[in-house]
Short mmCIF file of all heavy atoms in Angstrom, two decimals:
data_model
loop_
_atom_site.label_atom_id
_atom_site.label_comp_id
_atom_site.label_asym_id
_atom_site.label_seq_id
_atom_site.Cartn_x
_atom_site.Cartn_y
_atom_site.Cartn_z
N ARG T 153 5.13 -11.01 12.21
CA ARG T 153 4.27 -9.94 11.70
C ARG T 153 3.21 -9.64 12.76
O ARG T 153 2.68 -10.55 13.39
CB ARG T 153 3.63 -10.37 10.37
CG ARG T 153 4.63 -10.28 9.22
CD ARG T 153 4.18 -11.03 8.03
NE ARG T 153 3.08 -10.41 7.30
CZ ARG T 153 3.22 -9.40 6.44
NH1 ARG T 153 4.40 -8.90 6.20
NH2 ARG T 153 2.17 -8.92 5.81
N LEU T 169 -3.83 -13.54 1.76
CA LEU T 169 -2.37 -13.61 1.62
C LEU T 169 -1.63 -12.71 2.62
O LEU T 169 -0.80 -13.16 3.40
CB LEU T 169 -2.05 -13.19 0.19
CG LEU T 169 -0.67 -13.41 -0.38
CD1 LEU T 169 -0.28 -14.87 -0.31
CD2 LEU T 169 -0.64 -12.93 -1.83
N ILE T 170 -1.96 -11.44 2.61
CA ILE T 170 -1.19 -10.48 3.40
C ILE T 170 -1.40 -10.67 4.90
O ILE T 170 -0.56 -10.30 5.71
CB ILE T 170 -1.53 -9.02 2.97
CG1 ILE T 170 -0.45 -8.06 3.45
CG2 ILE T 170 -2.91 -8.61 3.41
CD1 ILE T 170 -0.51 -6.70 2.80
N TRP T 177 0.11 -19.07 4.35
CA TRP T 177 0.55 -18.03 3.43
C TRP T 177 1.24 -18.65 2.20
O TRP T 177 0.99 -18.23 1.07
CB TRP T 177 1.53 -17.09 4.16
CG TRP T 177 2.24 -16.16 3.22
CD1 TRP T 177 1.72 -15.04 2.64
CD2 TRP T 177 3.57 -16.32 2.70
NE1 TRP T 177 2.66 -14.47 1.81
CE2 TRP T 177 3.80 -15.24 1.83
CE3 TRP T 177 4.59 -17.25 2.90
CZ2 TRP T 177 5.01 -15.06 1.16
CZ3 TRP T 177 5.79 -17.08 2.23
CH2 TRP T 177 5.99 -15.99 1.37
N ARG T 181 0.58 -17.88 -1.70
CA ARG T 181 1.56 -17.11 -2.46
C ARG T 181 2.04 -17.92 -3.68
O ARG T 181 2.17 -17.39 -4.77
CB ARG T 181 2.73 -16.75 -1.54
CG ARG T 181 3.84 -15.96 -2.18
CD ARG T 181 3.56 -14.47 -2.17
NE ARG T 181 4.54 -13.75 -2.98
CZ ARG T 181 4.89 -12.49 -2.81
NH1 ARG T 181 4.34 -11.76 -1.88
NH2 ARG T 181 5.77 -11.91 -3.59
N PHE T 188 2.34 -13.29 -11.67
CA PHE T 188 2.91 -11.95 -11.45
C PHE T 188 4.42 -11.88 -11.69
O PHE T 188 5.06 -10.94 -11.24
CB PHE T 188 2.57 -11.48 -10.03
CG PHE T 188 1.12 -11.16 -9.87
CD1 PHE T 188 0.25 -12.09 -9.32
CD2 PHE T 188 0.61 -9.94 -10.29
CE1 PHE T 188 -1.10 -11.80 -9.20
CE2 PHE T 188 -0.73 -9.65 -10.16
CZ PHE T 188 -1.59 -10.59 -9.62
N ILE T 234 -6.67 -4.16 -13.10
CA ILE T 234 -6.62 -5.34 -12.22
C ILE T 234 -7.92 -6.16 -12.36
O ILE T 234 -7.90 -7.38 -12.31
CB ILE T 234 -6.30 -4.94 -10.74
CG1 ILE T 234 -6.01 -6.16 -9.88
CG2 ILE T 234 -7.35 -4.10 -10.10
CD1 ILE T 234 -4.67 -6.78 -10.12
N PHE T 356 -6.79 -8.42 -3.84
CA PHE T 356 -6.02 -8.03 -5.03
C PHE T 356 -6.59 -6.78 -5.69
O PHE T 356 -5.86 -5.94 -6.18
CB PHE T 356 -5.94 -9.19 -6.03
CG PHE T 356 -4.79 -10.11 -5.75
CD1 PHE T 356 -4.91 -11.17 -4.88
CD2 PHE T 356 -3.56 -9.89 -6.34
CE1 PHE T 356 -3.84 -12.00 -4.60
CE2 PHE T 356 -2.47 -10.71 -6.09
CZ PHE T 356 -2.61 -11.78 -5.21
N ALA T 359 -5.48 -3.99 -3.38
CA ALA T 359 -4.02 -3.78 -3.39
C ALA T 359 -3.55 -3.25 -4.74
O ALA T 359 -2.56 -2.53 -4.82
CB ALA T 359 -3.30 -5.08 -3.07
N GLY T 360 -4.26 -3.60 -5.81
CA GLY T 360 -3.79 -3.24 -7.14
C GLY T 360 -4.33 -1.91 -7.64
O GLY T 360 -3.99 -1.50 -8.75
N THR T 363 -2.59 1.92 -4.88
CA THR T 363 -1.13 1.99 -4.78
C THR T 363 -0.52 2.56 -6.07
O THR T 363 0.19 3.56 -6.05
CB THR T 363 -0.59 0.57 -4.55
OG1 THR T 363 -1.24 -0.31 -5.46
CG2 THR T 363 -0.81 0.11 -3.12
N THR T 364 -0.84 1.91 -7.18
CA THR T 364 -0.27 2.35 -8.46
C THR T 364 -0.81 3.74 -8.84
O THR T 364 -0.06 4.59 -9.33
CB THR T 364 -0.63 1.33 -9.57
OG1 THR T 364 -0.37 0.02 -9.08
CG2 THR T 364 0.15 1.57 -10.83
N THR T 367 0.78 6.56 -6.81
CA THR T 367 2.18 6.71 -7.20
C THR T 367 2.25 7.52 -8.50
O THR T 367 3.08 8.43 -8.65
CB THR T 367 2.84 5.33 -7.40
OG1 THR T 367 2.69 4.60 -6.18
CG2 THR T 367 4.31 5.44 -7.74
N LEU T 418 8.39 6.92 -5.39
CA LEU T 418 8.08 6.05 -4.25
C LEU T 418 8.99 6.34 -3.06
O LEU T 418 8.58 6.25 -1.91
CB LEU T 418 8.20 4.58 -4.67
CG LEU T 418 6.96 4.02 -5.39
CD1 LEU T 418 7.31 2.71 -6.08
CD2 LEU T 418 5.81 3.82 -4.42
N VAL T 423 3.70 5.36 -1.01
CA VAL T 423 2.23 5.35 -0.86
C VAL T 423 1.72 4.26 0.09
O VAL T 423 0.76 4.45 0.80
CB VAL T 423 1.51 5.22 -2.23
CG1 VAL T 423 1.74 6.44 -3.09
CG2 VAL T 423 1.90 3.95 -2.94
N ALA T 424 2.40 3.09 0.11
CA ALA T 424 1.90 1.99 0.95
C ALA T 424 2.68 1.95 2.26
O ALA T 424 3.29 0.95 2.61
CB ALA T 424 2.03 0.67 0.20
N SER T 427 1.22 -0.80 5.69
CA SER T 427 0.56 -2.08 5.53
C SER T 427 0.88 -3.09 6.62
O SER T 427 0.11 -3.98 6.88
CB SER T 427 0.90 -2.68 4.16
OG SER T 427 2.30 -2.74 4.03
N THR T 428 2.03 -2.92 7.29
CA THR T 428 2.33 -3.91 8.31
C THR T 428 3.28 -3.37 9.39
O THR T 428 3.81 -2.27 9.27
CB THR T 428 2.92 -5.19 7.67
OG1 THR T 428 2.87 -6.23 8.64
CG2 THR T 428 4.36 -5.03 7.24
N ASP T 489 10.17 0.24 -0.90
CA ASP T 489 8.77 0.71 -0.91
C ASP T 489 7.78 -0.35 -1.36
O ASP T 489 6.57 -0.17 -1.25
CB ASP T 489 8.67 1.97 -1.76
CG ASP T 489 9.61 3.01 -1.22
OD1 ASP T 489 9.24 3.70 -0.29
OD2 ASP T 489 10.77 3.08 -1.71
N PHE T 490 8.29 -1.45 -1.92
CA PHE T 490 7.41 -2.59 -2.20
C PHE T 490 7.52 -3.63 -1.09
O PHE T 490 7.10 -4.77 -1.24
CB PHE T 490 7.78 -3.23 -3.54
CG PHE T 490 7.36 -2.41 -4.74
CD1 PHE T 490 8.28 -1.69 -5.46
CD2 PHE T 490 6.03 -2.36 -5.14
CE1 PHE T 490 7.90 -0.93 -6.56
CE2 PHE T 490 5.63 -1.60 -6.24
CZ PHE T 490 6.57 -0.89 -6.95
N GLY T 491 8.11 -3.24 0.04
CA GLY T 491 8.24 -4.16 1.17
C GLY T 491 9.55 -4.92 1.11
O GLY T 491 10.35 -4.75 0.18
N HIS T 495 6.95 -11.33 2.22
CA HIS T 495 5.67 -10.70 1.83
C HIS T 495 5.87 -9.54 0.87
O HIS T 495 4.91 -8.79 0.61
CB HIS T 495 4.91 -10.21 3.06
CG HIS T 495 4.26 -11.32 3.84
ND1 HIS T 495 2.93 -11.67 3.69
CD2 HIS T 495 4.75 -12.16 4.76
CE1 HIS T 495 2.64 -12.66 4.49
NE2 HIS T 495 3.73 -12.99 5.16
N CYS T 497 5.88 -7.12 -2.12
CA CYS T 497 4.73 -6.98 -3.01
C CYS T 497 4.75 -7.94 -4.20
O CYS T 497 5.70 -7.95 -4.99
CB CYS T 497 4.69 -5.55 -3.54
SG CYS T 497 3.32 -5.25 -4.63
N ILE T 498 3.69 -8.68 -4.34
CA ILE T 498 3.59 -9.63 -5.45
C ILE T 498 3.29 -8.87 -6.76
O ILE T 498 3.58 -9.35 -7.85
CB ILE T 498 2.49 -10.68 -5.15
CG1 ILE T 498 2.61 -11.88 -6.07
CG2 ILE T 498 1.10 -10.10 -5.22
CD1 ILE T 498 1.71 -13.05 -5.66
N GLY T 499 2.72 -7.68 -6.63
CA GLY T 499 2.31 -6.92 -7.82
C GLY T 499 3.36 -5.92 -8.28
O GLY T 499 3.07 -5.07 -9.13
N ALA T 503 2.86 -3.19 -11.18
CA ALA T 503 2.79 -1.76 -10.84
C ALA T 503 3.84 -0.98 -11.62
O ALA T 503 3.55 0.10 -12.16
CB ALA T 503 3.01 -1.59 -9.33
C1 HEM Z 198 3.17 1.27 -6.55
C2 HEM Z 198 2.40 0.24 -6.31
C3 HEM Z 198 2.52 -0.68 -5.12
C4 HEM Z 198 3.17 -0.51 -3.94
C5 HEM Z 198 3.99 0.68 -3.48
C6 HEM Z 198 2.94 -1.70 -3.15
C7 HEM Z 198 3.47 -1.92 -1.89
C8 HEM Z 198 3.37 -3.11 -1.21
C9 HEM Z 198 4.02 -3.41 0.03
C10 HEM Z 198 4.89 -2.43 0.81
C11 HEM Z 198 3.71 -4.68 0.37
C12 HEM Z 198 4.23 -5.47 1.57
C13 HEM Z 198 3.24 -5.46 2.68
C14 HEM Z 198 3.66 -6.26 3.87
O1 HEM Z 198 4.84 -6.57 4.08
O2 HEM Z 198 2.75 -6.58 4.62
C15 HEM Z 198 2.81 -5.19 -0.63
C16 HEM Z 198 2.23 -6.43 -0.61
C17 HEM Z 198 1.28 -6.84 -1.52
N1 HEM Z 198 0.90 -6.21 -2.68
FE1 HEM Z 198 1.61 -4.45 -3.33
N2 HEM Z 198 2.15 -2.55 -3.87
C18 HEM Z 198 1.88 -1.97 -5.09
C19 HEM Z 198 1.13 -2.50 -6.12
C20 HEM Z 198 0.46 -3.70 -6.06
C21 HEM Z 198 -0.34 -4.25 -7.13
C22 HEM Z 198 -0.54 -3.64 -8.51
C23 HEM Z 198 -0.89 -5.41 -6.64
C24 HEM Z 198 -1.84 -6.34 -7.36
C25 HEM Z 198 -1.52 -7.23 -8.09
C26 HEM Z 198 -0.39 -5.61 -5.30
C27 HEM Z 198 -0.70 -6.68 -4.48
C28 HEM Z 198 -0.08 -6.95 -3.28
C29 HEM Z 198 -0.38 -8.12 -2.48
C30 HEM Z 198 -1.42 -9.18 -2.77
C31 HEM Z 198 0.48 -8.06 -1.37
C32 HEM Z 198 0.59 -9.07 -0.24
C33 HEM Z 198 1.72 -10.04 -0.54
C34 HEM Z 198 1.97 -11.05 0.53
O3 HEM Z 198 1.54 -10.84 1.66
O4 HEM Z 198 2.60 -12.07 0.23
N3 HEM Z 198 0.42 -4.56 -4.99
N4 HEM Z 198 2.64 -4.23 -1.61
#
Side-chain angles (χ1 to χ4, degrees):
R153 284 164 73 80
L169 193 57
I170 198 166
W177 169 77
R181 180 85 189 206
F188 289 97
I234 190 75
F356 273 88
T363 46
T364 313
T367 303
L418 278 165
V423 294
S427 54
T428 195
D489 303 277
F490 286 104
H495 284 263
C497 181
I498 196 170

